[in-house]
Amino acid sequence: QVHLVESGGGLVQPGGSLRLSCAASGISASFSNYEMRWYRQAPGREREFVAGIITTPDTADYVESVKDRFTITRDKAKKTSTLQMNSLKLEDTGVYFCNAVHTTVPGLDFWGKGTLVTVSS
C-alpha cells in the first residue's frame, strides 16, 4: 500500500515562504517511475494542479500563477518531493496535496491527505 504524507503547512504572512514535503512509502517500483505532483484546493474552489516533476531528466512544470515563486524538487533516494514556496500571496491559501502518478502503468495514482497553507496578514 502506497502512502503519501505531506508536511510543512502553516500560517504565513504575504511575502513569506514555506517549504512543503511529501514522503512516499510502500512504492515497490522505482520511485523514478512516478511523476510527483502538487495540487491545491482553496475554500469553495476545485482542486488545481500547482507543480509536477518527472525524472530522466528532471523536468518540472508549474501553473502559471506560481512560476518564478515555487520550486518543486524530488529526492529519489529518500523518496520525497518538496515544494518550496516563496513570495506567498493571499491567493495561495488552500490545502496542498501530494500526488504520485506512475508514468506508464494506468491506475497507479496515489494521493496524500493534504496540508493546510494559510497566507494571511
Side-chain angles (χ1 to χ4, degrees), residues 6-118:
E6 303 96 335
S7 61
L11 174 64
V12 63
Q13 293 185 339
S17 297
L18 280 176
R19 184 178 179 89
L20 305 183
S21 294
C22 173
S25 62
I27 292 182
S28 57
S30 172
F31 185 62
S32 297
N33 291 335
Y34 285 84
E35 177 179 354
M36 299 303 295
R37 302 173 179 170
W38 287 90
Y39 286 76
R40 67 186 177 189
Q41 188 166 18
R45 303 189 68 175
E46 293 187 355
R47 191 173 299 187
E48 69 167 345
F49 170 84
V50 175
I53 186 168
I54 60 173
T55 56
T56 328
D58 275 4
T59 303
D61 187 28
Y62 302 90
V63 67
E64 188 66 32
S65 60
V66 309
K67 284 182 179 178
D68 300 324
R69 298 190 298 121
F70 290 12
T71 303
I72 185 172
T73 58
R74 64 189 295 158
D75 186 319
K76 287 176 276 188
K78 296 181 179 179
K79 297 186 179 180
T80 59
S81 175
T82 60
L83 185 68
Q84 177 66 42
M85 307 187 295
N86 299 327
S87 303
L88 283 161
K89 303 177 180 181
L90 296 175
E91 53 264 38
D92 293 319
T93 293
V95 179
Y96 283 69
F97 298 90
C98 178
N99 173 231
V101 182
H102 199 283
T103 56
T104 59
V105 178
L108 293 184
D109 185 348
F110 305 100
W111 291 85
K113 293 184 178 181
T115 185
L116 177 62
V117 172
T118 303

